[in-house]
Amino acid sequence: KRDLLFAKEMGKRIAQRRKELGLTQEKAAERCGLSLQFFASVETGGKRAGRKPGQAGRGLEVSADQLLLGRVTDFDWHGISNA
């Protein structure tokens, strides 16, 4: 149950970020290097992103922690400042 809730919450964050960028699911999937089917399933909480949060984050111009946890961690800020 907890994994399902986590997947749904992460999917909501992905959908929100995609909409903030004004992207369709198709365009967002393309930017993330993911199939439309996989991207849509992750966005709706049907699939866990597995090892793909970093890939999705890069495509959506946000950190993996932001997608996974809903917040930027100190580690993210360090990485951002060194980029």
Side-chain angles (χ1 to χ4, degrees):
K1 287 184 177 182
R2 191 167 53 164
D3 284 348
L4 181 60
L5 180 61
F6 179 78
K8 286 189 179 290
E9 290 300 314
M10 186 176 73
K12 286 179 187 177
R13 289 188 285 274
I14 290 172
Q16 178 182 359
R17 181 61 181 158
R18 173 182 63 79
K19 291 172 186 174
E20 287 172 0
L21 294 172
L23 301 172
T24 63
Q25 282 185 331
E26 185 175 9
K27 188 64 176 172
E30 181 182 310
R31 285 179 60 165
C32 295
L34 303 170
S35 73
L36 173 58
Q37 182 179 3
F38 182 79
F39 184 88
S41 185
V42 169
E43 193 175 270
T44 59
K47 286 193 186 235
R48 291 181 297 171
R51 297 180 183 178
K52 309 285 188 198
Q55 192 172 342
R58 283 188 296 279
L60 297 174
E61 302 170 9
V62 69
S63 73
D65 279 353
Q66 184 69 32
L67 295 179
L68 291 167
L69 307 172
R71 59 186 164 81
V72 176
T73 65
D74 289 341
F75 179 77
D76 284 335
W77 281 117
H78 178 70
I80 291 168
S81 67
N82 289 331

